[in-house]
mmCIF file of all heavy atoms in Angstrom:
data_model
loop_
_atom_site.group_PDB
_atom_site.id
_atom_site.type_symbol
_atom_site.label_atom_id
_atom_site.label_comp_id
_atom_site.label_asym_id
_atom_site.label_seq_id
_atom_site.Cartn_x
_atom_site.Cartn_y
_atom_site.Cartn_z
ATOM 1 N N PHE A 356 -18.403 28.903 5.059
ATOM 2 C CA PHE A 356 -18.448 28.133 6.346
ATOM 3 C C PHE A 356 -19.370 28.840 7.280
ATOM 4 O O PHE A 356 -20.142 28.307 8.045
ATOM 5 C CB PHE A 356 -17.006 28.008 6.983
ATOM 6 C CG PHE A 356 -16.299 26.951 6.342
ATOM 7 C CD1 PHE A 356 -15.148 27.137 5.528
ATOM 8 C CD2 PHE A 356 -16.617 25.587 6.551
ATOM 9 C CE1 PHE A 356 -14.448 26.107 4.967
ATOM 10 C CE2 PHE A 356 -15.902 24.546 5.942
ATOM 11 C CZ PHE A 356 -14.804 24.840 5.172
ATOM 12 N N GLY A 373 -5.900 26.971 5.663
ATOM 13 C CA GLY A 373 -6.064 27.211 4.200
ATOM 14 C C GLY A 373 -7.367 26.827 3.598
ATOM 15 O O GLY A 373 -7.717 26.739 2.398
ATOM 16 N N PHE A 374 -8.340 26.521 4.413
ATOM 17 C CA PHE A 374 -9.677 26.107 4.046
ATOM 18 C C PHE A 374 -10.467 27.468 3.737
ATOM 19 O O PHE A 374 -10.782 28.225 4.670
ATOM 20 C CB PHE A 374 -10.563 25.415 5.066
ATOM 21 C CG PHE A 374 -9.995 23.979 5.458
ATOM 22 C CD1 PHE A 374 -8.688 23.566 5.111
ATOM 23 C CD2 PHE A 374 -10.787 23.162 6.168
ATOM 24 C CE1 PHE A 374 -8.185 22.365 5.430
ATOM 25 C CE2 PHE A 374 -10.379 21.948 6.594
ATOM 26 C CZ PHE A 374 -9.136 21.541 6.203
ATOM 27 N N GLU A 375 -10.795 27.672 2.433
ATOM 28 C CA GLU A 375 -11.569 28.934 2.184
ATOM 29 C C GLU A 375 -12.897 28.645 1.963
ATOM 30 O O GLU A 375 -13.762 29.249 2.577
ATOM 31 C CB GLU A 375 -10.980 29.636 0.915
ATOM 32 C CG GLU A 375 -9.524 30.269 1.280
ATOM 33 C CD GLU A 375 -8.768 30.630 0.140
ATOM 34 O OE1 GLU A 375 -9.295 30.550 -1.047
ATOM 35 O OE2 GLU A 375 -7.721 31.061 0.183
ATOM 36 N N GLN A 376 -13.172 27.691 1.123
ATOM 37 C CA GLN A 376 -14.664 27.300 0.738
ATOM 38 C C GLN A 376 -14.945 25.911 1.321
ATOM 39 O O GLN A 376 -14.016 25.162 1.260
ATOM 40 C CB GLN A 376 -14.851 27.279 -0.753
ATOM 41 C CG GLN A 376 -14.679 28.654 -1.373
ATOM 42 C CD GLN A 376 -15.921 29.532 -1.142
ATOM 43 O OE1 GLN A 376 -16.963 29.073 -0.861
ATOM 44 N NE2 GLN A 376 -15.667 30.840 -1.054
ATOM 45 N N PRO A 377 -16.151 25.629 1.741
ATOM 46 C CA PRO A 377 -16.463 24.258 2.121
ATOM 47 C C PRO A 377 -16.405 23.444 0.956
ATOM 48 O O PRO A 377 -16.762 23.782 -0.158
ATOM 49 C CB PRO A 377 -18.015 24.307 2.660
ATOM 50 C CG PRO A 377 -18.152 25.810 2.826
ATOM 51 C CD PRO A 377 -17.345 26.610 1.824
ATOM 52 N N MET A 378 -15.945 22.140 1.178
ATOM 53 C CA MET A 378 -16.001 21.137 0.077
ATOM 54 C C MET A 378 -17.412 20.528 0.079
ATOM 55 O O MET A 378 -18.192 20.666 0.993
ATOM 56 C CB MET A 378 -14.933 20.092 0.397
ATOM 57 C CG MET A 378 -13.603 20.645 0.085
ATOM 58 S SD MET A 378 -12.187 19.581 0.757
ATOM 59 C CE MET A 378 -11.794 18.613 -0.770
ATOM 60 N N GLN A 381 -18.788 18.752 2.980
ATOM 61 C CA GLN A 381 -18.898 19.626 4.121
ATOM 62 C C GLN A 381 -20.269 20.463 4.071
ATOM 63 O O GLN A 381 -20.959 20.722 5.034
ATOM 64 C CB GLN A 381 -17.742 20.557 4.280
ATOM 65 C CG GLN A 381 -16.391 19.752 4.603
ATOM 66 C CD GLN A 381 -15.224 20.474 4.299
ATOM 67 O OE1 GLN A 381 -15.092 21.609 3.697
ATOM 68 N NE2 GLN A 381 -14.078 19.792 4.386
ATOM 69 N N THR A 401 -11.895 8.838 0.616
ATOM 70 C CA THR A 401 -10.970 9.593 1.406
ATOM 71 C C THR A 401 -10.595 10.708 0.470
ATOM 72 O O THR A 401 -10.553 10.500 -0.661
ATOM 73 C CB THR A 401 -9.779 8.853 1.794
ATOM 74 O OG1 THR A 401 -9.404 8.016 0.739
ATOM 75 C CG2 THR A 401 -10.142 8.109 3.052
ATOM 76 N N GLY A 402 -10.264 11.899 1.051
ATOM 77 C CA GLY A 402 -9.759 13.025 0.246
ATOM 78 C C GLY A 402 -10.849 13.998 -0.169
ATOM 79 O O GLY A 402 -10.552 14.912 -0.964
ATOM 80 N N THR A 403 -12.101 13.646 0.229
ATOM 81 C CA THR A 403 -13.167 14.601 -0.086
ATOM 82 C C THR A 403 -13.389 15.599 0.961
ATOM 83 O O THR A 403 -14.271 16.474 0.828
ATOM 84 C CB THR A 403 -14.471 13.620 -0.268
ATOM 85 O OG1 THR A 403 -14.570 12.888 0.856
ATOM 86 C CG2 THR A 403 -14.392 12.870 -1.587
ATOM 87 N N GLY A 404 -12.680 15.623 1.999
ATOM 88 C CA GLY A 404 -12.901 16.703 3.023
ATOM 89 C C GLY A 404 -13.826 16.158 4.274
ATOM 90 O O GLY A 404 -14.416 17.026 4.844
ATOM 91 N N LYS A 405 -14.058 14.849 4.388
ATOM 92 C CA LYS A 405 -14.966 14.358 5.213
ATOM 93 C C LYS A 405 -14.618 14.532 6.723
ATOM 94 O O LYS A 405 -15.512 14.700 7.509
ATOM 95 C CB LYS A 405 -15.314 12.840 4.946
ATOM 96 C CG LYS A 405 -14.150 11.994 5.198
ATOM 97 C CD LYS A 405 -14.436 10.568 4.498
ATOM 98 C CE LYS A 405 -13.240 9.623 4.452
ATOM 99 N NZ LYS A 405 -12.961 8.923 5.685
ATOM 100 N N THR A 406 -13.321 14.622 6.919
ATOM 101 C CA THR A 406 -12.883 14.790 8.487
ATOM 102 C C THR A 406 -13.568 16.134 8.982
ATOM 103 O O THR A 406 -14.037 16.142 10.098
ATOM 104 C CB THR A 406 -11.466 14.785 8.577
ATOM 105 O OG1 THR A 406 -10.882 13.634 7.875
ATOM 106 C CG2 THR A 406 -11.069 14.582 10.055
ATOM 107 N N ALA A 407 -13.349 17.123 8.173
ATOM 108 C CA ALA A 407 -13.837 18.495 8.621
ATOM 109 C C ALA A 407 -15.328 18.427 8.573
ATOM 110 O O ALA A 407 -16.085 18.993 9.401
ATOM 111 C CB ALA A 407 -13.387 19.537 7.692
ATOM 112 N N ASP A 659 -2.491 8.540 4.931
ATOM 113 C CA ASP A 659 -3.223 9.610 4.362
ATOM 114 C C ASP A 659 -2.303 10.613 3.657
ATOM 115 O O ASP A 659 -1.583 11.380 4.383
ATOM 116 C CB ASP A 659 -4.036 10.363 5.526
ATOM 117 C CG ASP A 659 -4.962 11.331 5.048
ATOM 118 O OD1 ASP A 659 -5.678 11.036 4.084
ATOM 119 O OD2 ASP A 659 -4.756 12.545 5.489
ATOM 120 N N ASP A 661 -1.833 13.155 0.159
ATOM 121 C CA ASP A 661 -2.720 13.711 -0.797
ATOM 122 C C ASP A 661 -2.105 13.657 -2.157
ATOM 123 O O ASP A 661 -2.832 13.526 -3.116
ATOM 124 C CB ASP A 661 -2.954 15.118 -0.448
ATOM 125 C CG ASP A 661 -3.981 15.249 0.715
ATOM 126 O OD1 ASP A 661 -4.696 14.345 0.803
ATOM 127 O OD2 ASP A 661 -3.987 16.342 1.344
ATOM 128 N N ARG A 687 -6.541 12.822 -5.412
ATOM 129 C CA ARG A 687 -7.196 13.442 -4.175
ATOM 130 C C ARG A 687 -7.045 14.931 -4.331
ATOM 131 O O ARG A 687 -6.286 15.396 -4.982
ATOM 132 C CB ARG A 687 -6.576 12.821 -3.078
ATOM 133 C CG ARG A 687 -6.818 11.416 -2.961
ATOM 134 C CD ARG A 687 -6.124 10.766 -1.693
ATOM 135 N NE ARG A 687 -6.743 11.469 -0.496
ATOM 136 C CZ ARG A 687 -6.594 10.953 0.751
ATOM 137 N NH1 ARG A 687 -5.842 9.885 0.840
ATOM 138 N NH2 ARG A 687 -7.003 11.468 1.765
ATOM 139 N N VAL A 688 -7.938 15.542 -3.614
ATOM 140 C CA VAL A 688 -8.046 16.916 -3.444
ATOM 141 C C VAL A 688 -7.905 17.610 -4.773
ATOM 142 O O VAL A 688 -7.145 18.578 -4.991
ATOM 143 C CB VAL A 688 -7.005 17.496 -2.450
ATOM 144 C CG1 VAL A 688 -7.486 18.744 -1.846
ATOM 145 C CG2 VAL A 688 -6.770 16.531 -1.445
HETATM 146 P P1 AMP B 1388 -10.149 14.157 4.237
HETATM 147 O O1 AMP B 1388 -11.133 13.629 3.225
HETATM 148 O O2 AMP B 1388 -10.885 14.660 5.423
HETATM 149 O O3 AMP B 1388 -8.950 13.336 4.442
HETATM 150 O O4 AMP B 1388 -9.512 15.635 3.620
HETATM 151 C C1 AMP B 1388 -8.698 15.625 2.525
HETATM 152 C C2 AMP B 1388 -7.703 16.882 2.427
HETATM 153 O O5 AMP B 1388 -8.476 17.956 2.243
HETATM 154 C C3 AMP B 1388 -7.099 17.197 3.771
HETATM 155 O O6 AMP B 1388 -5.830 17.527 3.462
HETATM 156 C C4 AMP B 1388 -7.808 18.388 4.311
HETATM 157 O O7 AMP B 1388 -7.007 19.160 5.006
HETATM 158 C C5 AMP B 1388 -8.214 19.068 3.090
HETATM 159 N N1 AMP B 1388 -9.432 19.801 3.262
HETATM 160 C C6 AMP B 1388 -10.570 19.565 3.855
HETATM 161 N N2 AMP B 1388 -11.485 20.481 3.856
HETATM 162 C C7 AMP B 1388 -10.954 21.506 2.975
HETATM 163 C C8 AMP B 1388 -11.524 22.850 2.567
HETATM 164 N N3 AMP B 1388 -12.560 23.173 2.739
HETATM 165 N N4 AMP B 1388 -10.613 23.406 1.758
HETATM 166 C C9 AMP B 1388 -9.455 23.079 1.381
HETATM 167 N N5 AMP B 1388 -8.851 21.948 1.816
HETATM 168 C C10 AMP B 1388 -9.613 21.047 2.622
#
Side-chain angles (χ1 to χ4, degrees):
F356 281 111
F374 297 10
E375 284 166 10
Q376 294 289 329
M378 290 168 89
Q381 294 159 358
T401 41
T403 48
K405 64 195 169 83
T406 316
D659 189 51
D661 282 341
R687 296 176 63 167
V688 208

